[in-house]
Amino acid sequence: MIFKRSRTRSAPQEVPAVIPPGTKAGVKAGSILDPNEPSGPRDTAWQRARDNYRLVSPLNRRKFSIIVVGTGLAGAGAAATLADLGYDVTSVTYHDAPRRAHSVAAQGGINAARAKKVDNDSIHRFVTDTVKGGDFRGRESEAFRLAEESARVIDHMNAVGAPFAREYGGSLATRSFGGVQVSRTYYTRGQTGQQLQVAAASELARQVRAGRVKQYVRHEMVDLIVKDGQASGVIVRHLLTGELKPLLAHAVVLATGGYGNIYFRSTLAKNSNASAAWRAHRRGAHMAMPSFVQFHPTALPISSEWQSKTILMSESLRNDGRIWVPATPGDVRPPNEIPEEERDYYLERKYPAFGNLTPRDVASRAAKEAIDGGFGVGPLKNSVYLDFRDAIARLGLETIASRYGNLFHMYHDATGEDPTTSPMRIAPGAHFTMGGLWADYQLMTSIPGLFVAGEAGFGYHGANRLGANSLLSACVDGWFTIPYTVPNYLAGKLGQPLLDPDDPAVTETMADAYARFDRLLGIGGTRPPRDFHRELGEVLYSGCGVSRTREGLTHAIGAIRDIRERFARDLLIAGPVDRVNQELEYAGRVEDYLQLAELMCVDALEREESCGAHFREEYRSDTGEAKRDDSTWASILAWETGSWDDTPTFTRHVEPLSFEAVPLEVRDYR
Amino acid sequence: MKLTVRVWRQDGPLGEGRFDTREVDGVEPSMSVLELLDRYNHEVVTSGGEPVVFESDCREGICGACGIVVNGRPHGPVKRTPACHQRLNSFDDGATVTIEPFRAGPYPIIRDLMVERGALTEVLQAGGHVHVAAGTAPDADADRITFDTAEQALDFAACIGCGACVAACPNGSANLYLGAKLAHLSALPIPASERGSRARAMLNEADLMFGPCSLHGECAEVCPADIPLVAVSYVNRERLRAGIAGS
Ligand SMILES: Cc1cc2nc3c(=O)[nH]c(=O)nc-3n(C[C@H](O)[C@H](O)[C@H](O)COP(=O)(O)OP(=O)(O)OC[C@H]3O[C@@H](n4cnc5c(N)ncnc54)[C@H](O)[C@@H]3O)c2cc1C
Ligand code: SF4
Ligand code: FES
């Protein structure tokens, strides 16, 4: 493996490793968390970590059972690779086929610091972009791992059948994404996620056919089994028969994706949810920075009450599209009748260095400000224009259509409008959760034996994820991290038997799961789960959305408690427990959202600074940009939830951050 | 607008089915047929009934989960468009919309509109993959693939695995799906090295579950991924090639 040294190395910058003061009511101060990073310089940390990881000899591997929940890029990669290495692997997904995992929907691309071109990309630059893009709220050491393994990810996915876009001469084609000034995004038309996901699912299928992976499709994980503080299995529910069943293992990997759907309307698939992660949290796994949510600037605006989601338009469109609003509020002329000088290309005006390619948080906030300021366009005045007119004039319709053809097609399907003749309308939509289960450098959560991979975790992206970095992180976790770190954990457990199915830890967790479904079915109220979910989404968009205030968050917490109270009293679920019951599945997910939502608001309230996507209006610079407070908040907050009654108690643990390769600086995309 | 919605209800694989009919008022032309079903279900549930079971997930035409038949056509009246993108503007105000499950031998009905499409996964498991262990792949830039080859592979790789092609085929043939996978993988240098064994494994498996192709061409008409009809010719081409190459 090629190992590049960073340009400069300095001692970690002095950041006081204090627990930030002044926890709020209902919040207890916890302990300082250790990320278990290898000591020494960060740029060589991953190599040192791997050199020191313990191994399991090939003959002993089949004695270890590992459950991987989720078959997205992270889960399929982890399960296929662990199985190929010889472990006894069980893979669980609620989909009917592994290929349908939500990774399939990613459009734009996957980053890799292959640095083949002479645009001066490098591992170091990748790390700088990622850490800075995340507004210094992620671990630098992990950004190095991401960068180093990225080359292998592309090689592997190419070999197993993902047809990447190519240049005429046959080398890989790349494009630029928001927040970077080099071209390191690899792609396949607007279907990058699909091509990677199908290739990954095929790898998993190969292991299933070879008998090395036991595959449970249409099974939902409903709880985690913990024995003596160690993750020992999961409880799954068969979605067609309702049967509950314990699956036991020496280690469990959760690769269950993000929880952006908590906002009701998001760019995620309808079934994406927080439940696996939240259930693990309730069994003791810390949840890190749950309020760090990315709102995608190029989602389609809401046009009707029954619209079930916000469709995403790939960020790659910002390479050629120009974003603007009319210069005068309330201008109702059709876009093509508004002359050049009466348009405000506000990103180009405010951020000349990055223009339309500013990172997502900045672009979303700017759009929200334009819309809130009365400059919004469209029937509901809730969107801004993304215009290809100039690009078509410059490069020709054919070139633009070959770049974005299927996205234009999708836009046309969704809206009936043709983006080559009149501009698209876009608006910020909940998209990606940087927050997730806290894990150390080995991806192990605060429950030994429970690992997390992909978007379900919190790693890499800090307070704002760079476009095309998350397909990469899911792949790096699955193929090139979990296969090193899980064996490192298992090596010490040789000879340890699986938990006895009659062990109280199993029977009690099973009993909890039965009781929970009985309780939900027994409420017998009048409103289906969707109603509560929709209400919650509205509360979160306004209280814990693109921008936040102390007052708004406090209000949101009250509103969430109110919805929760009504949910417990007035939920209606039609149909019985023992066969397909999609309303029951939905209700379980909404119940978990109603708890997580409160923690999100508490987390956002607690962090008294603005950073990345977490924009607290009270903390802004003279120019109106996000204002970090590194002396107090250069840290990861990881939460523990105590017993849950009407007013839950949360304990806040802190992992201090320091930066050695990327000096702390104010993010400036001007 | 107002629509009369007839929906197929069936309790289980062996149960007898029937249509339930309901008028749904106040829907908008921009809604999708799946949003129509959401709306329909809301009314069923709040008036004490059990909701219609149907599958969907991404709702943006890429996961392949939404498989229903609308007015006799898999996915719906607009050609080559998945159910989640079929808008109500295809129907006149006051029209009747009939929604049924995919009907095909290899897809047993689970309940209402939900069918079991596991047969599609099984053929993939049999051979639709490449034997490369993580970390052992060569440099992807050194694996030269011309622009045209990559584009051709992508045209076939676009399949979303919805299974509509099988439901549209009078014979229940999966040749569009199979041909797309074979064509995609045999266009790319590394996957192509297993071309013969892949074709044998996948086609042997498929022969057990799906019908033969007699070139009706219905499949390509409904395919939401625009897989060209020429894909079906790859099935015979690869079969022949694998046979000649021997094992
Ligand atoms: C519309 C869209 C476009 C995107 N575009 C890009 C892009 O261009 N580039 C980029 O880098 N990133 C992009 N992202 C983000 C990226 O796609 C995701 O972060 C990434 O794919 C997540 O992968 P994953 O493996 O962690 O989870 P997923 O792919 O979401 O997989 C989750 C899996 O867990 C399973 N699961 C979940 N809960 C349970 C449970 N309780 N029981 C059983 N199974 C369960 C699901 O069945 C599924 O198999 C995009 C995201 C969206 C929504
Ligand atoms: S070939 Fe087309 S219709 Fe058939 S499964 Fe693939 S996408 Fe669906
Ligand atoms: S719901 Fe995913 S393709 Fe229609």
Side-chain angles (χ1 to χ4, degrees):
Chain A
M1 191 175 84
I2 308 162
F3 217 83
K4 296 213 180 90
R5 302 203 137 243
S6 73
R7 281 177 298 148
T8 50
R9 183 189 301 149
S10 51
Q13 263 178 297
E14 272 309 309
V15 174
V18 291
I19 294 190
T23 54
K24 311 286 179 301
V27 172
K28 285 196 281 191
S31 48
I32 300 269
L33 298 176
D34 182 354
N36 295 317
E37 289 165 315
S39 56
R42 303 247 167 89
D43 58 349
T44 48
W46 179 228
Q47 185 62 54
R48 270 197 316 290
R50 284 167 36 183
D51 288 347
N52 291 314
Y53 284 151
R54 293 206 282 168
L55 303 175
V56 176
S57 86
L59 287 178
N60 283 331
R61 290 180 195 162
R62 66 188 156 73
K63 297 178 189 158
F64 288 113
S65 299
I66 304 165
I67 295 169
V68 180
V69 188
T71 62
L73 284 170
T81 307
L82 289 167
D84 209 22
L85 290 171
Y87 297 93
D88 171 36
V89 176
T90 299
S91 156
V92 181
T93 172
Y94 55 64
H95 286 107
D96 67 319
R99 67 178 294 154
R100 306 214 202 279
H102 190 52
S103 292
V104 81
Q107 301 168 353
I110 175 167
N111 285 338
R114 293 165 68 83
K116 299 263 182 182
K117 300 203 169 142
V118 289
D119 61 355
N120 208 355
D121 196 8
S122 65
I123 297 246
H124 194 274
R125 204 177 289 279
F126 179 101
V127 171
T128 304
D129 289 340
T130 302
V131 170
K132 198 179 148 195
D135 219 0
F136 298 92
R137 293 298 174 260
R139 286 183 199 137
E140 210 178 48
S141 57
E142 290 185 337
F144 273 106
R145 179 170 72 214
L146 201 60
E148 281 158 29
E149 295 293 7
S150 62
R152 293 213 280 180
V153 165
I154 304 296
D155 293 341
H156 183 67
M157 298 317 289
N158 172 67
V160 297
F164 285 102
R166 297 276 172 166
E167 303 292 357
Y168 278 94
S171 57
L172 293 166
T174 53
R175 58 187 172 200
S176 296
F177 252 41
V180 302
Q181 289 167 314
V182 295
S183 184
R184 69 162 77 100
T185 306
Y186 295 79
Y187 65 98
T188 54
R189 292 187 187 155
Q191 323 161 345
T192 316
Q194 182 200 8
Q195 296 308 330
L196 297 176
Q197 173 61 24
V198 169
S202 309
E203 288 305 280
L204 181 58
R206 174 162 78 88
Q207 301 298 336
V208 172
R209 183 50 70 111
R212 290 191 285 254
V213 171
K214 192 159 192 316
Q215 175 87 63
Y216 285 84
V217 293
R218 298 197 194 274
H219 277 74
E220 176 153 339
M221 166 185 160
V222 296
D223 214 338
L224 179 75
I225 302 171
V226 181
K227 169 77 179 178
D228 298 335
Q230 279 181 38
S232 308
V234 298
I235 311 266
V236 293
R237 177 169 183 272
H238 191 317
L239 297 180
L240 301 188
T241 63
E243 184 198 359
L244 290 170
K245 178 171 174 165
L247 301 175
L248 302 169
H250 296 96
V252 175
V253 181
L254 295 188
T256 47
Y259 53 85
N261 246 355
I262 195 168
Y263 287 83
F264 184 62
R265 287 201 185 93
S266 76
T267 62
L268 277 82
K270 297 304 291 170
N271 292 317
S272 299
N273 64 86
S275 289
W278 187 253
R279 291 285 121 199
H281 173 69
R282 296 297 314 276
R283 295 279 170 200
H286 300 339
M287 184 64 108
M289 308 189 289
S291 69
F292 284 7
V293 178
Q294 177 168 83
F295 295 84
H296 202 293
T298 53
L300 296 189
I302 297 298
S303 59
S304 87
E305 189 203 349
W306 282 90
Q307 186 172 329
S308 48
K309 69 172 295 190
T310 55
I311 290 182
L312 178 77
M313 289 285 109
S314 168
E315 167 164 282
S316 62
L317 292 167
R318 291 201 273 146
N319 270 300
D320 288 301
R322 298 179 69 196
I323 293 176
W324 62 278
V325 290
T328 18
D331 188 337
V332 291
R333 283 176 292 175
N336 288 334
E337 286 173 22
I338 301 181
E340 193 64 17
E341 57 286 359
E342 291 174 44
R343 299 173 170 202
D344 179 13
Y345 294 92
Y346 57 86
L347 286 178
E348 295 170 24
R349 170 170 60 80
K350 287 185 175 168
Y351 307 101
F354 282 70
N356 293 298
L357 287 177
T358 53
R360 293 179 178 174
D361 54 337
V362 177
S364 285
R365 204 144 58 234
K368 182 172 190 288
E369 277 166 17
I371 293 167
D372 289 351
F375 297 89
V377 297
L380 300 178
K381 310 233 171 299
N382 59 355
S383 49
V384 300
Y385 290 126
L386 175 63
D387 202 338
F388 291 87
R389 188 186 65 176
D390 296 350
I392 291 173
R394 195 174 68 246
L395 301 167
L397 182 59
E398 205 180 320
T399 307
I400 294 299
S402 77
R403 283 185 195 167
Y404 309 110
N406 76 319
L407 296 170
F408 287 176
H409 189 75
M410 194 158 149
Y411 184 82
H412 183 262
D413 275 351
T415 62
E417 292 165 24
D418 176 2
T420 61
T421 55
S422 104
M424 283 186 177
R425 284 189 302 109
I426 53 168
H431 177 55
F432 180 87
T433 43
M434 280 76 71
L437 290 177
W438 182 87
D440 68 7
Y441 184 77
Q442 278 60 245
L443 299 182
M444 189 156 90
T445 66
S446 51
I447 302 179
L450 179 69
F451 292 77
V452 65
E455 196 178 334
F458 86 103
Y460 309 109
H461 312 298
N464 173 53
R465 167 181 69 101
L466 283 189
N469 256 5
S470 60
L471 288 177
L472 176 64
S473 57
C475 290
V476 168
D477 284 356
W479 273 281
F480 299 113
T481 307
I482 288 285
Y484 297 103
T485 60
V486 169
N488 174 54
Y489 166 80
L490 291 175
K493 310 267 173 232
L494 200 63
Q496 184 179 307
L498 287 179
L499 205 55
D500 186 334
D502 294 326
D503 189 283
V506 181
T507 52
E508 281 163 21
T509 317
M510 281 287 277
D512 287 352
Y514 278 119
R516 181 169 182 224
F517 290 112
D518 284 348
R519 176 171 51 73
L520 288 171
L521 282 162
I523 295 173
T526 64
R527 297 180 62 208
R530 185 189 164 100
D531 282 13
F532 297 100
H533 190 192
R534 191 202 315 252
E535 268 190 66
L536 175 66
E538 276 160 22
V539 168
L540 284 178
Y541 262 113
S542 62
C544 196
V546 175
S547 61
R548 296 113 192 242
T549 62
R550 192 170 296 120
E551 207 188 344
L553 287 162
T554 313
H555 176 80
I557 292 174
I560 292 163
R561 289 182 177 172
D562 174 57
I563 303 173
R564 209 162 56 218
E565 185 272 322
R566 283 183 284 116
F567 178 91
R569 188 158 48 73
D570 198 21
L571 174 71
L572 163 67
I573 301 175
V577 73
D578 59 353
R579 60 166 197 236
V580 193
N581 190 334
Q582 295 171 323
E583 295 283 285
L584 180 61
E585 291 162 29
Y586 196 3
R589 294 168 187 171
V590 174
E591 185 175 55
D592 292 337
Y593 285 149
L594 286 168
Q595 298 186 351
L596 168 60
E598 178 162 344
L599 181 57
M600 286 168 67
C601 294
V602 168
D603 181 56
L605 198 56
E606 188 78 356
R607 187 174 280 276
E608 297 195 314
E609 65 162 352
S610 292
C611 55
H614 169 65
F615 189 72
R616 283 279 303 264
E617 285 179 20
E618 299 94 338
Y619 308 101
R620 57 200 316 176
S621 68
D622 303 339
T623 53
E625 300 298 313
K627 193 168 164 202
R628 293 198 321 262
D629 173 3
D630 294 324
S631 60
T632 318
W633 296 105
S635 58
I636 289 163
L637 300 187
W639 297 91
E640 191 182 328
T641 301
S643 66
W644 192 285
D645 46 39
D646 286 347
T647 46
T649 47
F650 301 112
T651 304
R652 186 199 63 187
H653 304 285
V654 176
E655 179 196 326
L657 291 167
S658 66
F659 299 90
E660 75 179 34
V662 191
L664 278 166
E665 59 168 287
V666 175
R667 254 165 112 222
D668 187 358
Y669 292 94
R670 282 159 196 277
Chain B
M1 62 198 274
K2 183 175 184 175
L3 295 170
T4 303
V5 185
R6 293 173 71 224
V7 182
W8 185 259
R9 309 295 309 252
Q10 182 169 332
D11 288 343
L14 305 174
E16 263 187 40
R18 61 178 195 287
F19 279 107
D20 269 2
T21 306
R22 195 174 259 274
E23 300 215 320
V24 186
D25 202 358
V27 295
E28 287 165 41
S30 67
M31 284 166 64
S32 70
V33 287
L34 300 187
E35 285 161 1
L36 176 67
L37 278 172
D38 289 342
R39 178 68 199 277
Y40 182 98
N41 273 344
H42 186 81
E43 293 185 9
V44 172
V45 170
T46 47
S47 57
E50 270 191 58
V52 179
V53 175
F54 69 98
E55 289 192 276
S56 76
D57 200 17
C58 71
R59 300 234 175 161
E60 47 184 79
I62 199 74
C63 73
C66 60
I68 52 175
V69 172
V70 183
N71 286 358
R73 273 184 85 91
H75 286 309
V78 183
K79 284 186 182 176
R80 302 186 196 93
T81 302
C84 51
H85 276 169
Q86 297 273 348
R87 307 279 145 196
L88 301 186
N89 58 16
S90 305
F91 308 103
D92 295 329
D93 196 4
T96 298
V97 182
T98 303
I99 306 180
E100 296 166 86
F102 275 175
R103 298 195 192 272
Y107 300 160
I109 291 183
I110 295 170
R111 192 176 172 80
D112 299 341
L113 306 175
M114 184 191 229
V115 300
E116 180 52 63
R117 284 168 285 179
L120 297 171
T121 310
E122 278 170 46
V123 283
L124 184 76
Q125 282 177 1
H129 39 64
V130 187
H131 285 72
V132 177
T136 65
D139 183 339
D141 275 297
D143 186 26
R144 302 305 262 200
I145 301 172
T146 63
F147 177 84
D148 291 340
T149 308
E151 289 297 301
Q152 190 203 340
L154 261 168
D155 285 343
F156 292 114
C159 165
I160 62 172
C162 64
C165 45
V166 179
C169 177
N171 300 347
S173 163
N175 277 15
L176 196 69
Y177 170 81
L178 292 162
K181 181 96 281 174
L182 294 171
H184 150 212
L185 291 178
S186 52
L188 300 169
I190 299 173
S193 60
E194 296 170 53
R195 195 168 164 184
S197 56
R198 171 178 311 119
R200 268 192 300 280
M202 284 180 72
L203 298 178
N204 283 341
E205 186 92 6
D207 288 346
L208 300 175
M209 296 181 285
F210 297 98
C213 170
S214 38
L215 275 180
H216 284 277
E218 299 289 329
C219 50
E221 298 283 284
V222 300
C223 174
D226 274 331
I227 301 295
L229 186 58
V230 64
V232 301
S233 72
Y234 278 80
V235 172
N236 283 339
R237 198 183 305 183
E238 296 293 308
R239 194 192 294 275
L240 221 58
R241 196 184 163 281
I244 291 162
S247 49

